[in-house]
Amino acid sequence: MALYSEKVMDHFRNPRNVGVIEDADGVGEVGNAKCGDIMKIYLKIEDGIVLDVKFETFGCASAVASSSMATELIKGKPVSEALKLTNQAVAEALDGLPAYKMHCSVLAEEAIKNALEDYYKKHPEAREDAE
Ligand code: FES
């Protein structure tokens, strides 16, 4: 059996939304101390919608595929939905990850949550709207 699903390989080879948003509304960065991989997420948010999202990932194939898939899952979605994105949902959308690679998808969930947290810090009024 192949180690990675075709979707993982596809998103690893042709990652979607790679890059930087210079005037991002929220930026989140997380790292995994054990493997040393780092993931950074940039969000452009308008009227409570994730208009654009980009990522930079310095990490393993699963981390790159997870960030790519995670950006696809939240692009164009309300912030409230992006906040609920779980690493399980990312892994499922990739048709699964090997068990010992699940932590790579956790990076994607955490990076997005950090970026949203950063967004709320910079735009406190948005948090009230969301509540
Ligand atoms: Fe570190 Fe995958 S091995 S994120």
Side-chain angles (χ1 to χ4, degrees):
M1 206 190 88
L3 181 56
Y4 291 121
S5 72
E6 265 173 44
K7 273 201 189 155
V8 173
M9 288 316 293
D10 175 33
H11 278 262
F12 171 55
R13 292 203 181 105
N14 311 296
R16 328 297 199 258
N17 309 310
V18 175
V20 175
I21 299 177
E22 294 294 347
D23 58 343
D25 296 304
V27 180
E29 183 175 338
V30 289
N32 181 302
K34 270 199 198 137
C35 61
D37 293 346
I38 294 172
M39 192 181 293
K40 209 163 170 181
I41 295 267
Y42 301 83
L43 298 173
K44 192 82 206 147
I45 294 172
E46 228 177 270
D47 294 333
I49 304 285
V50 180
L51 272 197
D52 200 11
V53 43
K54 296 239 185 286
F55 80 89
E56 293 176 300
T57 291
F58 307 96
C60 72
S62 305
V64 172
S66 294
S67 9
S68 169
M69 181 54 89
T71 57
E72 288 282 277
L73 288 173
I74 63 165
K75 201 171 181 174
K77 297 276 163 61
V79 169
S80 54
E81 263 182 56
L83 270 171
K84 284 190 216 130
L85 182 74
T86 62
N87 77 296
Q88 283 94 343
V90 174
E92 263 167 44
L94 287 168
D95 289 337
L97 283 171
Y100 73 102
K101 284 284 174 183
M102 278 306 279
H103 76 271
C104 316
S105 63
V106 173
L107 275 189
E109 177 187 328
E110 288 179 347
I112 288 174
K113 294 223 159 92
N114 279 6
L116 289 168
E117 203 42 57
D118 183 46
Y119 163 68
Y120 280 135
K121 240 184 252 156
K122 290 177 180 151
H123 304 85
E125 74 288 353
R127 194 189 290 272
E128 283 143 37
D129 289 348
E131 276 161 10

